[in-house]
Amino acid sequence: SDTLTRGTSDVHRKSIAELSAPTKLGKDRDAGGSKSPQCLEIALPVVKGMQDETVEPLQKFFEEQHFDAWHFDVFELDEITKGHSLWFIATILFEHYKIPDIFQIDATKLSNFLLRLEDGYSYDMSSPNPYHCAVHAADVLQTTAHFCTVGRVQKRLRVIHGFALFVAAMGHDYRHPGRTNAFLIHTHDEIAITYNDISVLENFHAAELFKVLIQDETDLLSGMDSRQARTFRNMVVKTVLATDLAQGFEYVGLFKGHVKTGHAFESEESKQLLMCMLMKVADVSHPCKMWKAHLKWSELISEEFFIQGDLEVSLGLPISPLCDRSAHFLPKSQCDFVDYVVRPCVEVFADYCTEEASVWVETMDSNYKRWKAMYEEEGKRREEEEKKAKKKSQVAPL
């Protein structure tokens, strides 16, 4: 028997495929529903900076882009909503899967929770991170929403899995200090000391996320019984911890073994592995997105690395890999990122998701070829310069 749903209502036993509500939030989608997101009606008085003139461009945006489409422009949404892309994507997604109704989540508390995340996503909000910010959380959440439309995923996960996935996506980098695990460990940072140098940031993010979740004004779990709440917490924590890049090969190996043996992902343990793999891919998926977005994310993470490198110089420390402004070459770093981090997890996840994943791999390959061409072009240029310098040095003096 299923211990997660024993004694609960029928709706808790349904897969997320069965709970997907018909909505018209973009072209080429369901014919039913309203022309614009229902959350627009409550956004204006709640979300800071939202004005009446925002409604029309937001309506137009969602008429052109569905909230769970692969090539979704999260940067445009963030610009239109004046920094509230996470609030909008989460509100639409929760409404779509009826999560507030199923788990008795108060609308004000949900809004408060989302605003709290947006207002404190960087550790030091007086100097926000270029990359690890609320827009990255919105992007990972939206990518997670897309993955939940894949047949083999949505048929395996129930509503509590979906709820846990969405919260993990929103909070997986919450209060990020803009430094790497290695930096925090080497400098004996308080966060590293607290978590004993083990998945330092990932443990920190999960803990900080739940500090918000248990506060009365942002509590999303009050509608659960104690068993459900413990299960939910366990799912979210494990999913967030899976985003540690140092553990990437372990998860990829486990998932690949399941896929090769035709595993059905029916046990709770295997469903958790599916959630962890989905989150890992969502977290590093920007090389699989349209070039304009991918390039912007690449530049943002580079700038965040450079800020760390500048700090390392000021502290008299060796500059970490990818953090040296003077020696950085973006095409090379992105080719390496795809080769060693992105491709291994994307391809094995795509193998499981079958033909629905073709656009992810095709776009990744297209972007990779573009970087590779730049890399090779620069290599040729440098080779020519070396030849000229060598030839010049061999010219006998008069």
Side-chain angles (χ1 to χ4, degrees), residues 347-364:
E347 288 188 339
V348 69
F349 188 60
D351 285 345
Y352 173 71
C353 296
T354 63
E355 68 276 357
E356 292 175 86
S358 60
V359 65
W360 319 336
V361 179
E362 289 169 4
T363 309
M364 176 181 67

Side-chain angles (χ1 to χ4, degrees), residues 57-257:
L58 197 54
Q59 286 176 328
K60 183 179 179 182
F61 176 85
F62 280 113
E63 285 171 359
E64 295 175 351
Q65 299 192 47
H66 197 270
F67 75 94
D68 57 19
W70 183 247
H71 292 307
F72 181 93
D73 193 340
V74 71
F75 290 113
E76 183 181 352
L77 176 63
D78 201 65
E79 183 178 352
I80 293 171
T81 60
K82 306 185 188 305
H84 293 291
S85 53
L86 180 60
W87 190 95
F88 271 89
I89 292 172
T91 302
I92 293 167
L93 189 56
F94 273 46
E95 177 190 329
H96 183 74
Y97 286 107
K98 309 185 183 81
I99 289 173
D101 293 337
I102 294 169
F103 294 103
Q104 301 171 47
I105 299 172
D106 178 78
T108 300
K109 290 186 177 184
L110 174 59
S111 181
N112 289 343
F113 171 75
L114 298 173
L115 292 172
R116 180 74 62 83
L117 292 190
E118 288 182 334
D119 289 344
Y121 216 86
S122 296
Y123 190 82
D124 179 5
M125 288 303 290
S126 66
S127 180
N129 302 323
Y131 181 89
H132 290 105
C133 59
V135 187
H136 170 62
D139 183 54
V140 173
L141 177 62
Q142 191 277 328
T143 304
T144 299
H146 172 81
F147 288 153
C148 286
T149 68
V150 174
R152 299 186 87 180
V153 172
Q154 64 177 201
K155 291 175 183 175
R156 289 287 170 260
L157 302 181
R158 288 192 306 280
V159 61
I160 193 168
H161 299 117
F163 184 19
L165 263 176
F166 302 149
V167 170
M170 287 186 272
H172 79 283
D173 277 327
Y174 181 57
R175 296 203 70 218
H176 199 293
R179 311 287 182 263
T180 62
N181 275 337
F183 177 89
L184 298 177
I185 292 169
H186 292 157
T187 57
H188 306 295
D189 189 273
E190 183 181 351
I191 300 173
I193 298 298
T194 300
Y195 296 105
N196 300 310
D197 298 348
I198 300 170
S199 297
V200 175
L201 285 169
E202 295 72 26
N203 273 298
F204 175 67
H205 300 319
E208 293 298 304
L209 172 62
F210 271 92
K211 286 180 184 178
V212 177
L213 277 168
I214 63 175
Q215 294 177 19
D216 182 62
E217 64 271 21
T218 51
D219 182 6
L220 306 188
L221 311 182
S222 58
M224 294 183 176
D225 60 35
S226 60
R227 179 178 53 80
Q228 274 187 325
R230 286 195 303 272
T231 297
F232 175 86
R233 172 169 162 75
N234 185 54
M235 288 178 179
V236 172
V237 170
K238 285 182 176 178
T239 304
V240 172
L241 292 181
T243 61
D244 184 356
L245 295 183
Q247 309 298 323
F249 288 111
E250 178 183 346
Y251 286 98
V252 169
L254 282 171
F255 194 81
K256 186 180 291 185

